[in-house]
Amino acid sequence: MMLLADHKVTATPSRGVVEVYDAEAYEGDVAALDAAEVEVVAGNGYHLYLVSLQPDIAVQVIIRVWDTPPPPPSNAEGHVSVSIESETGSLVIGQLDAGPAGDISLPRPGVYEGYAWWEDREATAAYYATTLHHLTDDTPDGYLTQAWKNCPVTERYVFDLAYLREPEPIDDEDL
């Protein structure tokens, strides 16, 4: 297994969701988002949604492209198989309420398959809940902003992908 590309983007899961999509795939998919509520990461071929258990603490999204994707690590909290088609060769990491957190360039346009896995999702949610539970009327302004920046763990979502094939040709009738 040879690593061909490695990209890291920090995003805030506004409303608990971060999305990864082709730069020209603008429409979301409610069914895929609903599936991600159950599976943590799910998609429709052009969009991948990842669902955090909290909406305010930044998460790290790592997209790695391999010649052959490695299996998810045994210590991952969970994992699923994923596929995404990128006609442009550019993926956007989006925050629902705050717009794009960043974008990455794939080695080439096409369909990529592999695994999504995550770690510290539960620990970040526990820190979030505990921090909110300890708020008082005397809590100083800016306390939560600082608490979110100082989370002792980093919630990570890793996409280990490999190029599968060329993208489907665009049908002129779809334009």
Side-chain angles (χ1 to χ4, degrees), residues 30 40 70 100 141 145 160:
V30 174
V40 180
D141 290 343
T145 300
D160 283 324

Side-chain angles (χ1 to χ4, degrees), residues 32 52 56 89 117 154:
S52 175
D56 295 313
W117 56 273
T154 301

